Amino acid sequence: FSKEKALAIRKLLEAQKYMLYAFTSCGWFFADIGGLEAVQNLAYAVRALQLGTSGEIRQQLLQGLIAGLEQARGNVAGVTGKTILERQLLPFCAHEKILAFTAAIEKTIGFTKSDKLRLFSYDVSLRRLSAIESGLLSYHSFDAAVENEMTGELSRWAVLVSHRERAEVRGWVVAADAFGGKLPGGLEPETMMHHSASQSLTLMDIFQTSRENMADYIHQNIFKDTYARYSAWMDKNEQELDFLSRLNFPLPLYCLAPLSFVYHQQWNSLVRRLEHRGDEEEIAARLRDLSAMRKQYKISFDIKESAALLERSIIIELSALAVKLSAGTCRRIEHLMNIVDRFGIPVPKHKMEDAFAPIAAGPISGLYAEVIRLSAGGDESELVDKRALLKALVNFAHRMNFNTDAFRIP
């Protein structure tokens, strides 16, 4: 049983899977072919067609599908199944070409350092062919091999990326077969641009997820640079800023914006450190200092991220307490709750109480019964340890606003 035959069977099975997906019930439930659900079903159908057929047969079936969809009219004027397919779905049928272009872009802008990338379910291997710099203009060409081990899809592309400072990134992609399968190392930009099989692409042609990942990468680079520059500016003007604030005049926006940005990032960075045990008191002290600076400069913080991080940390610790009763865990939760209360961070108390209620009713009640049993006669050293733990837990229950009359320590 050859590998080629196995891949062919697997590819047909994948096609069958997507054909079944195309009949997902939600796509037929809503009375608009332009709805998200129906469009998704059409995407599944196109993928099934792509995997299950090839060449002239694929084109014939596709044209038949388009003709049938023209009769399906959407609720918006001018929208039919045909227009949806042609405008929203068919451009992405050239997905291997788009993935080759995406990989070349990521390599060019430094998003990745590796020559091997994983994009969705595809492995893309890059080999640099040329890099030409001409003033503000640069050209980078690559030999890109795209492979999907699940479906057996395999293709090679010549990709040229052009980038000019303060101008749009553009690319040209040509199937390697158009060069006879051989891609020369010194491939000239003009050869790629003017090749009869060349397709020009821009950043708007790549998949949404890839655009989002690139945007996040660029945002992070800008963030690091902005933070470094603003921090240096604050250090340089620290005395003047402090003097201005004490004159009790509002700071101008060009002063408030850097201060707000830097202090806000420092605040969130400290709160993120609270996700790990240790240094709670030091972090609380630094948060107090930042809070004082915020008041001095009349800066407002968006503390939604702080609230989410602290809520998650407290719930995680309560989950750990449910598994193993620990005075240390109680102290950590109290530290976190003190920070919530001290700075007015909007963490919903009812969620913490809901998480603690079964602990009080279960493990703590069990410990209390054990202490009562040992008090009636048992190992004194064991009783001392368990009584100390129970006392810590009862005090913690008070902190959680729970009634502890049922846990009177003998």
Side-chain angles (χ1 to χ4, degrees):
F1 205 64
S2 67
K3 179 181 178 181
E4 290 74 17
K5 184 173 288 187
L7 286 173
I9 293 171
R10 185 184 291 172
K11 190 174 183 179
L12 290 173
L13 288 172
E14 282 287 295
Q16 177 74 9
K17 179 182 78 174
Y18 282 106
M19 187 173 72
L20 293 172
Y21 282 179
F23 290 93
T24 302
S25 60
C26 60
W28 310 93
F29 184 80
F30 302 100
D32 183 13
I33 197 169
L36 173 66
E37 300 82 5
V39 172
Q40 184 62 60
N41 278 13
L42 288 176
Y44 290 142
V46 171
R47 181 60 171 157
L49 190 65
Q50 190 178 45
L51 291 171
T53 62
S54 61
E56 187 177 337
I57 293 177
R58 179 190 294 172
Q59 288 303 315
Q60 289 176 355
L61 292 173
L62 183 60
Q63 291 306 315
L65 177 62
I66 290 173
L69 287 172
E70 190 171 13
Q71 308 305 313
R73 303 193 179 281
N75 294 349
V76 177
V79 173
T80 66
K82 178 178 182 290
T83 62
I84 291 169
L85 194 71
E86 291 178 337
R87 296 171 188 172
Q88 299 185 39
L89 303 177
L90 288 187
F92 292 109
C93 284
H95 61 288
E96 294 175 61
K97 182 185 296 184
I98 294 171
L99 293 176
F101 174 60
T102 302
I105 290 289
E106 291 189 2
K107 182 71 174 178
T108 300
I109 67 174
F111 181 82
T112 181
K113 304 298 181 185
S114 175
D115 291 328
K116 296 185 181 296
L117 296 82
R118 181 76 170 178
L119 296 173
F120 306 100
S121 299
Y122 292 79
D123 294 306
V124 184
S125 299
L126 293 174
R127 179 172 67 89
R128 188 180 291 277
L129 298 175
S130 64
I132 301 172
E133 304 286 340
S134 178
L136 298 178
L137 185 64
S138 65
Y139 291 103
H140 301 267
S141 61
F142 300 89
D143 175 1
V146 181
E147 181 177 10
N148 185 326
E149 290 186 354
M150 175 61 70
T151 62
E153 293 169 285
L154 179 64
S155 59
R156 277 184 65 212
W157 307 88
V159 185
L160 174 69
V161 175
S162 76
H163 181 256
R164 186 194 303 271
E165 189 175 345
R166 295 182 297 277
E168 182 183 8
V169 175
R170 292 191 63 191
W172 292 264
V173 185
V174 182
D177 291 343
F179 295 96
K182 281 190 171 184
L183 297 178
L187 192 62
E188 293 293 328
E190 291 77 11
T191 303
M192 284 285 296
M193 291 182 202
H194 302 301
H195 195 286
S196 59
S198 177
Q199 180 180 351
S200 177
L201 298 172
T202 71
L203 292 177
M204 290 307 297
D205 292 310
I206 66 178
F207 293 111
Q208 176 69 22
T209 300
S210 298
R211 295 208 304 272
E212 290 172 358
N213 291 339
M214 288 185 194
D216 287 342
Y217 167 76
I218 295 169
H219 287 159
Q220 284 300 313
N221 284 347
I222 294 174
F223 167 83
K224 292 174 184 176
D225 180 68
T226 302
Y227 185 83
R229 291 174 184 271
Y230 279 5
S231 296
W233 174 85
M234 286 171 57
D235 291 340
K236 181 180 179 181
N237 296 282
E238 181 180 11
Q239 186 174 356
E240 289 83 356
L241 290 166
D242 180 72
F243 190 80
L244 282 171
S245 70
R246 297 183 190 283
L247 290 173
N248 201 28
F249 281 96
L251 291 176
L253 183 59
Y254 64 82
C255 289
L256 284 174
L259 289 168
S260 178
F261 176 81
V262 172
Y263 285 143
H264 190 229
Q265 299 311 318
Q266 290 177 353
W267 175 277
N268 284 340
S269 177
L270 286 169
V271 174
R272 280 192 289 272
R273 283 179 55 191
L274 287 169
E275 291 185 294
H276 307 285
R277 291 192 172 199
D279 301 328
E280 286 88 358
E281 292 186 4
E282 177 202 340
I283 293 170
R286 293 185 62 185
L287 287 173
R288 285 194 294 272
D289 292 341
L290 277 177
S291 183
M293 299 303 292
R294 179 181 67 175
K295 291 178 181 177
Q296 177 180 340
Y297 291 115
K298 297 180 175 60
I299 297 169
S300 61
F301 286 174
D302 181 355
I303 54 177
K304 291 178 184 176
E305 182 179 349
S306 300
L309 289 168
L310 285 165
E311 179 186 334
R312 182 168 65 246
S313 296
I314 292 171
I315 295 299
I316 288 173
E317 294 297 337
L318 286 169
S319 299
L321 189 65
V323 174
K324 181 181 179 181
L325 297 177
S326 164
T329 301
C330 291
R331 286 193 295 272
R332 169 160 163 77
I333 297 172
E334 287 177 333
H335 276 304
L336 297 175
M337 292 177 65
N338 289 341
I339 289 172
V340 167
D341 293 341
R342 170 69 176 77
F343 301 110
I345 299 173
V347 174
K349 298 291 180 68
H350 70 275
K351 289 188 178 180
M352 295 184 282
E353 293 165 356
D354 289 346
F356 182 70
I359 301 174
I364 296 178
S365 292
L367 176 64
Y368 179 72
E370 184 70 7
V371 168
I372 295 298
R373 184 184 66 78
L374 290 171
S375 297
D379 187 331
E380 183 63 27
S381 62
E382 185 180 2
L383 174 61
V384 170
D385 291 341
K386 289 187 180 295
R387 183 185 284 143
L389 177 57
L390 179 62
K391 184 177 180 181
L393 290 164
V394 169
N395 289 337
F396 177 70
H398 274 300
R399 178 69 177 81
M400 294 289 294
N401 296 320
F402 274 68
N403 187 313
T404 59
D405 291 347
F407 303 126
R408 297 182 184 277
I409 301 176

